[in-house]
Structure formats: C-alpha cells, structure tokens
Amino acid sequence: MIITIEDKSFQSSDITQLYPAALVKTGYKDETTQVSLEWLEVESKGKVELQGYGIFIHVGKDEKFSFLYKNRELLDEAIAKLAKQLQK
C-alpha cells in the first residue's frame, strides 16, 4: 500500500516507524526535540516552549522524514487524511 503525506509517498511495508509528536525547545540555542502529544497535554503544564507539531516517518534504518505543522488543528487534519488512506 502506498501512503502519501503532503507531497511525499511511501510504500507502507518500508515504514519502520510512523508517529505524531510535538516539537519543543530544549533550552539550548534553537535546538528542538520531539515529545509525545500525551506528555505535552498531561505532563508539560507550561514547562516547555512549544514550537509546533509533526508527523515523523522512519524508513528502514537510515531515512527519516518530518512533516511539520504550526498548530494542533493542522496536525489533526493531516492525521485524518493519513487515517483515511490506511482504512482502504
């Protein structure tokens, strides 16, 4: 099955990881890191500076792709589009 996010297509059997996450500042220069959406909503309690959201895909051992979104609504729309493709 081929899935498409934004303008990039992937063979689903090649994907080793696919997950949504929030991007937050680490506190070191402009560095960011990924945190789970659940952690952001439940545990962060204003302790971190949110930079945005993303869908992250790992293909094999070495290839990684990031699709970034400015807000949760845009991420949710992208996840809904992805879910429709996976239901086919």
Side-chain angles (χ1 to χ4, degrees), residues 5-6 18-21 34 53-57 65-69 74-80 82:
I5 299 176
E6 303 303 328
L18 185 155
Y19 57 93
Q34 302 168 12
Y53 296 90
I55 296 175
F56 302 91
I57 297 181
F65 299 89
S66 303
F67 300 92
L68 305 178
Y69 305 93
L74 293 173
L75 172 67
D76 288 344
E77 288 175 18
I79 290 171
L82 177 59

Side-chain angles (χ1 to χ4, degrees), residues 45-84:
K45 301 193 190 316
K47 298 176 189 173
V48 295
E49 186 178 343
L50 179 64
Q51 289 298 110
Y53 296 90
I55 296 175
F56 302 91
I57 297 181
H58 296 214
V59 178
K61 293 181 181 180
D62 299 324
E63 286 188 280
K64 297 178 184 178
F65 299 89
S66 303
F67 300 92
L68 305 178
Y69 305 93
K70 291 182 181 182
N71 58 53
R72 181 66 187 256
E73 291 78 23
L74 293 173
L75 172 67
D76 288 344
E77 288 175 18
I79 290 171
K81 289 177 186 176
L82 177 59
K84 281 184 182 180

